[in-house]
Amino acid sequence: RMEWWMQVGLLTVPLLAVYLHIPPPNLSPALLSWRSSGGYFTYKDQNIFYKDSAGAVGSSDIVVLLHGFPTSSYDWYKIWEGLTQRFHRVIALDFVGFGFSDKPRPHHYSIFEQASIVEGLVRHLGLHHQKINLLSHDYGDTVAQELLHRSAQSLMLWLLFFPGCAALGGTTCCVTTRFLLSILQYINQRKKHRERWVGALRSASVPLHLIYGPLDPVNPHPEFLQLYKKVLPTSTVTVLDDHISHYPQLEDPTGFLNAYLNFINSF
């Protein structure tokens, strides 16, 4: 768990910003470019942003990227080009309530809904009968676990990767505006449905791999790694350099990408 002073700090800054009514900053050129290179599909009444890039000609493999809290699909920008050199399709979305996707209020945000949105995107792209590789982080890990639970009822094969799988014991501290409180229900959902989601990992018949930054404050070393290996002894693990923390795909994109591709290429 995070130290109390870190939690207080993470709470104070955004609350002060809300209190002072500080307007959101303008989008950077990089974010504008990211948005313009993507598109939208409709899930029920919600507009969901996604990015879908054609990649390697000689590959038929597809990877879907699931981002964490409180960020967006842009978390993957540093490894995007590298993934397109290995995969035929590289796809990422902004979960509802995040990034460029709609942020309805009031709304009951749930991991189950986010998983259904991923399934909706896969159907929208005509990929629902194909094998999908899932690359997930943080909040996206729990969505991936729900998808794994559902995939046990079908013939689809999901190949999963979980950096910092917080459903096994870590928690994520975040801001507490009324809107974000509704999104933050995922923390309670993790506790309530722990058996369902950890059970999905334990009973998985597909390859699992963890890429871990030892300096991660959300899932501290060595306790988290010991727990992960105990719960999932068949999963393979890559431990990055000692200075890598909770966002390995941004902090060490080369090491991260190499670890993931070594996993994918091992079978």
Side-chain angles (χ1 to χ4, degrees):
R1 296 181 62 87
M2 284 189 175
E3 296 292 338
W4 68 268
W5 54 269
M6 294 179 67
Q7 298 184 32
V8 171
L10 287 171
L11 289 169
T12 302
V13 172
L15 286 175
L16 180 61
V18 171
Y19 176 76
L20 295 175
H21 303 290
I22 297 174
N26 293 327
L27 294 179
S28 68
L31 282 173
L32 288 171
S33 175
W34 187 264
R35 184 174 64 181
S36 66
S37 67
Y40 291 85
F41 84 104
T42 302
Y43 175 80
K44 297 185 177 178
D45 296 332
Q46 301 154 2
N47 293 315
I48 304 297
F49 175 83
Y50 72 96
K51 183 175 168 69
D52 177 11
S53 292
V57 175
S59 172
S60 60
D61 293 341
I62 301 161
V63 62
V64 175
L65 315 178
L66 308 179
H67 69 81
F69 180 95
T71 51
S72 71
S73 59
Y74 191 66
D75 277 358
W76 306 107
Y77 83 98
K78 285 190 176 182
I79 64 168
W80 195 268
E81 183 178 354
L83 290 173
T84 63
Q85 294 173 8
R86 169 58 178 80
F87 291 94
H88 177 61
R89 297 275 287 277
V90 181
I91 300 161
L93 77 161
D94 290 350
F95 293 126
V96 64
F98 296 81
F100 297 124
S101 291
D102 282 353
K103 302 169 183 63
R105 337 176 187 185
H107 186 75
H108 177 67
Y109 290 90
S110 76
I111 294 296
F112 300 102
E113 178 187 39
Q114 305 288 20
S116 295
I117 289 172
V118 176
E119 291 178 326
L121 175 59
V122 169
R123 286 192 300 271
H124 173 75
L125 297 175
L127 303 174
H128 49 293
H129 294 305
Q130 299 193 40
K131 184 178 72 174
I132 302 290
N133 299 276
L134 284 182
L135 179 57
S136 68
H137 176 245
D138 188 78
Y139 181 94
D141 295 343
T142 313
V143 178
Q145 286 169 267
E146 172 59 22
L147 290 167
L148 178 59
H149 176 83
R150 297 180 187 186
S151 72
Q153 315 301 317
S154 71
L155 297 178
M156 185 176 293
L157 173 65
W158 299 87
L159 306 177
L160 304 180
F161 155 78
F162 297 93
C165 184
L168 293 178
T171 58
T172 301
C173 182
C174 24
V175 299
T176 57
T177 64
R178 180 176 297 179
F179 168 56
L180 288 180
L181 274 176
S182 62
I183 294 182
L184 287 175
Q185 289 304 310
Y186 81 91
I187 295 177
N188 293 330
Q189 292 165 22
R190 279 176 169 174
K191 295 176 182 178
K192 180 178 179 180
H193 302 289
R194 185 181 187 278
E195 287 190 17
R196 176 188 180 97
W197 291 331
V198 176
L201 295 178
R202 282 176 162 159
S203 61
S205 59
V206 296
L208 304 175
H209 189 70
L210 167 74
I211 301 177
Y212 179 66
L215 205 59
D216 187 348
V218 178
N219 302 284
H221 186 271
E223 293 84 4
F224 172 77
L225 204 55
Q226 293 169 348
L227 175 63
Y228 183 88
K229 290 179 177 179
K230 179 180 178 181
V231 174
L232 299 172
T234 61
S235 173
T236 52
V237 176
T238 298
V239 179
L240 298 176
D241 292 343
D242 289 347
H243 67 281
I244 304 303
S245 183
H246 189 63
Y247 285 88
Q249 72 273 40
L250 295 172
E251 299 170 51
D252 183 12
T254 300
F256 178 97
L257 186 62
N258 286 340
Y260 182 58
L261 295 183
N262 285 339
F263 164 63
I264 288 294
N265 294 333
S266 65
F267 47 86

